[in-house]
Amino acid sequence: MKALVVYPNRELLYAASTLGGEVAALVFSEREAEAVKGVAHRALVAEVDPRLPDAVAEAVVKAAQSYQVVLLPSTKNGKTVGGLVAQRLGAEFLTDVLTLRVEGGVLKAERYVFGNKAVAAVEAAPPVVVTVAPGRFQGQPPAVQTTVEKVALQAGSKMKIVSVEEKARGAVKLEEAEIIVSVGRGFKKKEDLQMAFELARVLGGQVGCSRPIAADLKWLPEEHWVGLSGKKVKPKLYLAIGISGQPQHIAGILDSRIIAAINNDPSAPIFQNADYGVVEDLYKIVPILINKLSKTKG
Amino acid sequence: MKVAVLVKTALDTGQLRVRDTVATEETPLKISDIDRNAIEEAVKLKGQDKAYAVTVLKWGPLQKKAQEAENVLREALAMGLDEAYLVADERLLNASHVVTAKALAAVVKKVGADIVLAGEATVDNYTGQIPARVAAELGWPVVTYVRELRVEGGRLIARRDLEDHVEVVEVQLPAVVSVTREINQPRIPTLLAIRAAMKKPVNRLTLADLGVEVAPRIAAAYKPLVIQRKKVVIKDGTPEEKAEKLIQYLRQEGVI
């Protein structure tokens, strides 16, 4: 199936190559065109501001005519562009797909649904728009000859960007962390989070948090936030302390290898989603864990 | 300002029963969580004008669910919306999103809204594609993932919450806006408001009423998620013993 990749990266280009047809990359500058040379059959250069979803969608609709599938990353702007393009093309839009294959001229994919309690197997006939869940398609796109062409455009954007504010960023890279100690509403005050930082230090991990800690109480910057609106993580150990386990939070930790949970409420949903659960007051057990682990590690 | 809110009458996934199969038919409906924030924002914005709840019923069986959806919409009305539109049509169940967006856009045109609000995504399918689709259908600008909103002389100024940064953008009305949970704290309706909502109109429409054509269906089959956790729960002993046990398990797994 011939695929058009928008906001191309290696993973998307690889996913597109598995569909068995020509792969084109829609890029927004000559410099980006240079970056896809050798890994896409065509580089289509549209000189629009990639931050403006409607302008990008315009370029995609124009370029998409000879392609059966449009692939985008599962980012917020990727999904916005995808929705606009899909409606304009009269196409289905499959978001956050985990798998992707072509069978009998139809695109088949799987995605998590219902608060990640189920997997939906979906299929749609071309044209189809797809966003790919990050980290699911590991491989190298094959080496190919690339031609570079321009996409001619007139239409501008209806949206004006007035200003951009960078979010506060520290040294936290939860997506890459091997061990995450995550905190939730079970902590009674901000100062108590020090315990979690201490435990994370002893374990050589990072500190994450649930939505209320970052969004409502603002005890930690948003870069610590794990969940559907926050970061999706895949550590070897995710230790949830005082986190009840709302579906939105579980969605962010699904790919963790081992999930352990500490909560004083035995009916907390987190226990249904954990490998090891401890029913205990975190104020009692966390200091003990710090103590025991620092002894053996030290 | 006339406001239309896209309210998804979503499956209450908290009550979804998953064993060997996924029982969607038995699962009750509820307002998709983030749509409550859209409703709250609509009530704040509408001023002297009216705000409408608009929903397309996507889950069957239609007869049972249509009544349930109507009850769900009463909740939206109790929060302060003035009138509700429910598009219930057998042909919409599992229909293409293209048709869903067409039906929603048709109702928006019917009520003559200046602004359409919706949650960033719905709690059941979580695809987040409908706001952009409805905007494309109406030919209006779309502003997604908004955590702060202001309307000034026909212009809408919004803060978009993106992955690494916040973007302040401006568009002319009419526009479609999707909001995040951070935009406000949705109100809990008073008993008086709930009673009043019983008297507010809920209009039922079919695709024929809206003049919308149906495209082919999307095929979807659901199966339980296979990632199974071990669910070992340590609840007996002193905190000391429990800590020791947890450390033991985590060592056995080789994660610490």
Side-chain angles (χ1 to χ4, degrees):
Chain A
M1 218 174 251
K2 289 172 76 176
L4 176 67
V5 179
V6 189
Y7 299 119
N9 58 36
R10 233 154 237 280
E11 187 171 15
L12 281 174
L13 290 166
Y14 170 69
S17 74
T18 64
L19 301 177
E22 181 193 304
V23 175
L26 182 71
V27 294
F28 308 102
S29 66
E30 295 290 345
R31 192 174 52 80
E32 286 181 346
E34 206 54 45
V36 297
K37 270 198 183 150
V39 281
H41 297 93
R42 293 166 81 191
L44 305 172
V45 187
E47 280 169 358
V48 297
D49 185 339
R51 299 174 302 168
L52 298 167
D54 58 346
V56 174
E58 196 66 44
V60 178
V61 169
K62 191 139 193 201
Q65 301 308 331
S66 44
Y67 296 90
Q68 290 144 315
V69 49
V70 175
L71 280 176
L72 294 137
S74 283
T75 57
K76 291 175 178 179
N77 274 341
K79 287 183 186 176
T80 308
V81 170
L84 291 169
V85 168
Q87 194 67 15
R88 296 265 303 271
L89 297 176
E92 276 312 324
F93 181 17
L94 314 177
T95 59
D96 302 296
V97 304
L98 311 165
T99 62
L100 201 58
R101 67 197 159 91
V102 179
E103 211 178 282
V106 171
L107 203 67
K108 298 192 170 187
E110 286 178 304
R111 58 187 305 274
Y112 294 136
V113 289
F114 307 148
N116 297 306
K117 284 186 170 175
V119 177
V122 285
E123 50 181 78
V128 191
V129 182
V130 177
T131 76
V132 174
R136 289 284 169 172
F137 296 85
Q138 306 284 357
Q140 288 298 322
V144 291
Q145 284 282 337
T146 309
T147 60
V148 180
E149 294 153 56
K150 276 212 156 102
V151 182
L153 291 165
Q154 291 106 29
S157 172
K158 287 179 181 165
M159 189 164 90
K160 193 174 112 198
I161 297 174
V162 181
S163 63
V164 177
E165 302 155 18
E166 292 301 317
K167 285 187 185 172
R169 277 193 154 273
V172 187
K173 284 209 173 68
L174 286 183
E175 298 93 328
E176 295 163 20
E178 293 231 303
I179 293 181
I180 296 174
V181 175
S182 209
V183 297
R185 282 302 296 273
F187 284 82
K188 296 195 183 84
K189 43 183 210 298
K190 188 180 173 182
E191 293 69 46
D192 300 342
L193 298 185
Q194 276 319 312
M195 273 196 290
F197 277 93
E198 181 59 20
L199 183 56
R201 195 189 59 78
V202 169
L203 286 169
Q206 305 264 17
V207 172
C209 69
S210 64
R211 180 178 180 281
I213 300 294
D216 302 336
L217 299 166
K218 301 194 191 302
W219 286 354
L220 286 176
E222 286 182 13
E223 57 183 340
H224 292 270
W225 177 356
V226 176
L228 262 182
S229 320
K231 303 262 173 73
K232 300 204 176 58
V233 298
K234 41 182 179 188
K236 60 181 191 188
L237 172 62
Y238 188 84
L239 178 55
I241 307 178
I243 292 178
S244 65
Q246 295 304 311
Q248 290 82 6
H249 187 79
I250 302 300
I253 64 174
L254 225 52
D255 291 330
S256 305
R257 208 177 98 214
I258 294 291
I259 297 174
I262 296 170
N263 203 302
N264 58 3
D265 174 10
S267 62
I270 189 81
F271 290 126
Q272 292 305 308
N273 291 285
D275 296 287
Y276 300 100
V278 184
V279 182
E280 184 54 80
D281 180 355
L282 71 94
Y283 284 90
K284 286 189 186 145
I285 195 168
V286 173
I288 299 173
L289 284 171
I290 293 169
N291 192 1
K292 281 183 186 291
L293 289 166
S294 58
K295 266 185 203 151
T296 50
K297 293 245 164 175
Chain B
M1 190 162 36
K2 276 180 150 186
V3 188
V5 188
L6 309 182
V7 177
K8 173 86 183 272
T9 43
L11 290 184
D12 184 348
T13 55
Q15 298 197 48
L16 182 78
R17 284 209 321 211
V18 177
R19 281 190 190 95
D20 301 334
T21 56
V22 180
T24 57
E25 290 196 2
E26 299 160 23
T27 308
L29 299 177
K30 70 163 189 175
I31 297 179
S32 176
D33 299 3
I34 316 170
D35 293 350
R36 285 184 191 276
N37 300 86
I39 295 168
E40 180 64 36
E41 205 60 20
V43 174
K44 284 187 191 160
L45 275 176
K46 69 169 186 166
Q48 302 300 309
D49 284 331
K50 285 192 168 180
Y52 306 89
V54 181
T55 199
V56 166
L57 189 55
K58 296 288 286 181
W59 300 107
L62 196 68
Q63 255 187 326
K64 179 181 154 211
K65 295 284 182 196
Q67 189 51 48
E68 229 184 295
E70 211 174 297
N71 298 341
V72 169
L73 287 171
R74 296 266 174 220
E75 267 185 76
L77 295 173
M79 283 181 73
L81 300 186
D82 299 284
E83 198 171 334
Y85 287 86
L86 165 63
V87 187
D89 195 308
E90 198 69 53
R91 291 174 300 164
L92 273 168
L93 306 180
N94 279 326
S96 158
H97 288 100
V98 182
V99 183
T100 305
K102 278 183 195 286
L104 289 166
V107 180
V108 171
K109 279 188 212 149
K110 197 179 166 81
V111 300
D114 307 299
I115 181 168
V116 173
L117 294 176
E120 63 169 284
T122 61
V123 292
D124 45 9
N125 267 330
Y126 224 92
T127 75
Q129 58 182 282
I130 289 296
R133 281 187 182 271
V134 170
E137 197 58 37
L138 292 166
W140 295 2
V142 64
V143 188
T144 47
Y145 306 97
V146 170
R147 60 156 38 172
E148 216 179 298
L149 184 60
R150 201 168 86 231
V151 174
E152 254 174 38
R155 291 177 318 154
L156 182 145
I157 299 120
R159 289 166 65 84
R160 299 183 69 213
D161 191 351
L162 299 175
E163 282 82 1
D164 297 328
H165 56 272
V166 174
E167 212 175 67
V168 180
V169 301
E170 194 184 298
V171 295
Q172 293 291 324
L173 290 179
V176 178
V177 175
S178 82
V179 305
T180 70
R181 287 168 206 266
E182 286 66 48
I183 194 166
N184 55 37
Q185 187 67 45
R187 73 192 65 197
I188 296 163
T190 60
L191 198 59
L192 208 66
I194 295 168
R195 286 221 189 99
M198 298 311 288
K199 298 197 189 83
K200 293 181 181 176
V202 176
N203 309 292
R204 276 200 205 185
L205 299 169
T206 62
L207 288 178
D209 296 331
L210 294 168
V212 172
E213 299 282 322
V214 174
R217 285 167 183 226
I218 175 175
Y222 304 106
K223 61 177 186 206
L225 184 55
V226 286
I227 298 174
Q228 286 297 338
R229 294 289 169 187
K230 297 193 176 86
K231 295 183 201 171
V232 175
V233 178
I234 307 163
K235 46 175 187 268
D236 300 318
T238 64
E240 182 86 21
E241 288 161 358
K242 289 178 186 170
E244 195 53 52
K245 227 173 201 170
L246 177 65
I247 291 171
Q248 234 175 51
Y249 280 127
L250 297 182
R251 286 238 165 86
Q252 273 166 24
E253 294 283 358
V255 293
I256 58 170

